[in-house]
Amino acid sequence: MTQLRLAIVGAGPAGIYAADILLKAERKFDVSIDLFEQLPAPYGLVRYGVAPDHPRIKGIINALRDVLDRGDIRVFGNVRFGEDITLDDLKRHYHAVIFATGAVRDTTLDVPGIEAQGSHGAADFVSWFDGHPDVPREWPLEAESVAVLGNGNVALDVARMLAKHADDLLPTEIPANVYDGLKASKVTDVHVFGRRGPAQVKFTPLELRELGELNDVDLVVYDEDFDYDQASRDAIASNKQVMVIDRILQSWRQRPGVNGAGGEASRRLHLHFYARPTEIVKDAEGRVAAIRYERTRPDGEGGVVGTGEIREVAIQAMYRAIGYFGSPLPGVPFDDHHGVIPNHEGQALQVGSNDRVPGVYATGWIKRGPVGLIGHTKSDAMETVRHLINDQGSWWQPVDPSEEAIPALLAERGVRHTDLDGWHNLDAHELALGEAEGRVRIKVVDREEMVRVSRGE
Ligand code: NAP
């Protein structure tokens, strides 16, 4: 029977779902899968993107672990595609590759002052509070007043993590350096800015409602943002999610802190709508001093137009949470406008044409861009896998498809890779660290230490 030797690059939900779906799919050939991950631990954005105080979503790790623990997928962690292993290597040893590398960078925002000291991308901050090994351990949290740009769930995560008191995060898996950093934070006011109105936000209701339940944080909304146009009223009447979001926001208008007046809490979280950022104002030392924005108004079709009215709020730090962006992979076509591998339903295409790139596939955010919840990745993987199966005639013809070739190649290059047993070691170690302090888990942040613990060195 023919065999498909498949490499999957990226051990987040997209990569693991693709492997699982292929292994369970009806097909006329055997499959063996090697899953490569640049980090020493698997689970991608579930481990390093989902906020630590969202245990329900973090729980997806249990389902992903069940797939890996079945034992029919080999895991090679701490292996960087493009450095430790290249596309040419994959062509020598596999019949095809699926890239599932996601989107982990912040998209850019083209406004004056964006380069100011204290102007951050949300993705970097998320990586910090989730204990990503490749970002600095320290995060500056001296600002009293902070802006968060964007009205998606990442903006909510960032705003919530900034506004929450560090002690309220102790039940979570946050690393020690993150607890210490947040504990020392001087923040009193977090201002979230959305360029459109309350009926056009990208928040999901559950995540929005949570903002209003934070300990010692007043939620502040402004009456001026609720003068709806017909398009907003139609959206609220016709879309259940928008209706629930409106109901939550309206309930906050009844709270004492409305319009910024007189709440009791030591911290405030303000939601500003119809506010399009136009400039980050800097002080003489080049640090963030204020955010300048143009007040917008609805255009009648769900969009907005500028009113010409410019406003300013004094801040000392700014986080843009306006979307993630994919990163190019050496040797693989990349659409740098959309931040994805150009593709037709997961089959990679040459840039700017409909010509197929045989043997190369994509799934998840590197395929369709950084939108959608984790569950959406499953249907995405099904589509990609269906093509992979049907494309048998155009797979690569590897010169050495043996299973021993890859460990030998990595050893020859001195790559200290981790495997599934290694992940079990690290997992047990983190749980034990947590138990010693009465917490669920304490994440190991240092890459070298992760590798050492995984490899039992
Ligand atoms: P998103 O949902 O696409 O939201 C991006 C936000 O940025 C939108 O409000 C957008 O406004 C705004 N924006 C874009 N460009 C802008 C600009 N130039 N100026 C001002 N605002 C701008 O993206 P995301 O928040 O990064 O989330 C990505 C995906 O992950 C989403 O599917 C999200 O639901 C999911 N996620 C889920 C959770 C969870 O807890 N369930 C947590 C994190 C992420 P417009 O709408 O006007 O374009």
Side-chain angles (χ1 to χ4, degrees):
M1 197 178 191
T2 325
Q3 213 206 21
L4 167 66
R5 288 270 299 131
L6 176 70
I8 298 181
V9 180
I16 296 178
Y17 286 143
D20 188 37
I21 286 165
L22 176 61
L23 285 165
K24 290 175 176 161
E26 205 172 296
R27 51 191 154 70
K28 296 195 174 70
F29 48 82
D30 283 339
V31 172
S32 85
I33 299 177
D34 289 347
L35 181 59
F36 293 93
E37 168 58 52
Q38 60 134 343
L39 290 168
Y43 311 132
L45 268 192
V46 190
R47 186 172 154 100
Y48 291 113
V50 171
D53 58 344
H54 274 175
R56 190 182 53 84
I57 310 178
K58 286 271 187 210
I60 293 174
I61 282 183
N62 297 333
L64 300 177
R65 185 173 48 212
D66 286 346
V67 174
L68 296 185
D69 282 354
R70 239 174 24 221
D72 47 7
I73 301 163
R74 284 202 307 183
V75 179
F76 293 92
N78 201 34
V79 179
R80 291 178 206 262
F81 177 79
E83 290 174 33
D84 301 326
I85 195 147
T86 65
L87 191 65
D88 284 340
D89 296 328
L90 298 184
K91 284 183 180 168
R92 254 193 307 278
H93 300 294
Y94 297 91
H95 295 95
V97 57
I98 299 180
F99 288 101
T101 47
V104 294
R105 287 187 296 160
D106 287 290
T107 195
T108 52
L109 177 64
D110 190 16
V111 296
I114 192 71
E115 76 293 348
Q117 195 185 324
S119 160
H120 307 288
D124 293 335
F125 183 53
V126 171
S127 293
W128 175 75
F129 68 60
D130 255 339
H132 194 294
D134 298 342
V135 299
R137 294 300 105 85
E138 309 289 321
W139 191 271
L141 288 161
E142 293 92 28
E144 291 180 7
S145 188
V146 180
V148 179
L149 309 185
N151 269 179
N153 282 330
V154 173
L156 291 190
D157 282 348
V158 168
R160 195 179 66 255
M161 289 297 290
L162 286 167
K164 239 175 162 166
H165 291 277
D167 286 340
D168 294 329
L169 287 162
L170 268 182
T172 73
E173 60 181 35
I174 51 164
N177 66 304
V178 174
Y179 172 76
D180 294 343
L182 292 171
K183 183 78 182 164
S185 168
K186 298 197 180 75
V187 78
T188 59
D189 289 82
V190 178
H191 297 269
V192 180
F193 294 94
R195 61 182 173 183
R196 296 192 288 156
Q200 288 85 36
V201 296
K202 303 248 172 76
F203 312 140
T204 40
L206 206 61
E207 280 66 31
L208 181 63
R209 186 174 290 122
E210 197 184 347
L211 276 200
E213 294 162 359
L214 306 185
N215 169 42
D216 190 34
V217 179
D218 277 332
L219 206 293
V220 184
V221 291
Y222 294 83
D223 283 332
E224 64 173 359
D225 291 333
F226 294 88
D227 188 10
Y228 289 147
D229 69 333
Q230 191 57 42
S232 295
R233 283 192 291 272
D234 290 347
I236 292 165
S238 63
N239 181 318
K240 183 132 184 283
Q241 177 155 319
V242 181
M243 186 184 73
V244 178
I245 281 172
D246 177 58
R247 205 178 290 153
I248 296 167
L249 292 169
Q250 297 292 352
S251 74
W252 291 342
R253 293 178 73 189
Q254 313 308 320
R255 291 192 177 184
V258 72
N259 297 323
E264 300 278 301
S266 68
R267 292 180 175 178
R268 283 156 299 281
L269 206 162
H270 309 250
L271 298 183
H272 305 270
F273 299 97
Y274 300 113
R276 175 160 54 206
T278 56
E279 185 180 348
I280 312 301
V281 182
K282 295 184 280 188
D283 67 12
E285 276 82 46
R287 293 178 305 220
V288 171
I291 173 139
R292 212 164 265 167
Y293 65 90
E294 181 180 17
R295 179 86 179 151
T296 60
R297 63 177 166 75
D299 66 0
E301 292 169 9
V304 286
V305 289
T307 63
E309 181 193 344
I310 302 293
R311 296 183 183 180
E312 202 173 289
V313 174
I315 49 164
Q316 300 83 46
M318 190 282 284
Y319 295 77
R320 64 180 196 282
I322 58 165
Y324 284 111
F325 203 76
S327 304
L329 295 149
V332 182
F334 188 69
D335 170 349
D336 45 30
H337 185 60
H338 299 100
V340 297
I341 296 172
N343 68 91
H344 168 256
E345 298 182 346
Q347 301 166 301
L349 302 176
Q350 301 290 0
V351 177
S353 85
N354 285 328
D355 294 345
R356 286 277 325 279
V357 182
V360 179
Y361 298 82
T363 190
W365 279 3
I366 196 66
K367 167 184 175 185
R368 72 190 143 87
V371 284
L373 304 177
I374 295 167
H376 295 149
T377 308
K378 269 190 195 166
S379 42
D380 216 13
M382 277 180 206
E383 186 181 68
T384 297
V385 164
R386 181 166 45 83
H387 281 297
L388 169 68
I389 292 174
N390 292 339
D391 289 348
Q392 188 172 351
S394 64
W395 294 344
W396 298 326
Q397 301 296 324
V399 288
D400 179 4
S402 70
E403 295 205 344
E404 306 78 52
I406 291 301
L409 183 74
L410 295 175
E412 186 189 303
R413 291 183 183 165
V415 180
R416 290 162 67 232
H417 71 86
T418 58
D419 59 14
L420 188 58
D421 288 340
W423 163 242
H424 289 151
N425 293 344
L426 180 64
D427 190 34
H429 179 74
E430 292 186 341
L431 291 172
L433 287 179
E435 201 182 343
E437 301 210 9
R439 301 180 49 198
V440 251
R441 167 193 299 272
I442 296 179
K443 267 184 181 170
V444 175
V445 182
D446 184 68
R447 183 184 271 266
E448 189 46 42
E449 189 183 341
M450 291 173 79
V451 173
R452 263 200 323 270
V453 173
S454 298
R455 292 169 62 95
E457 291 172 358

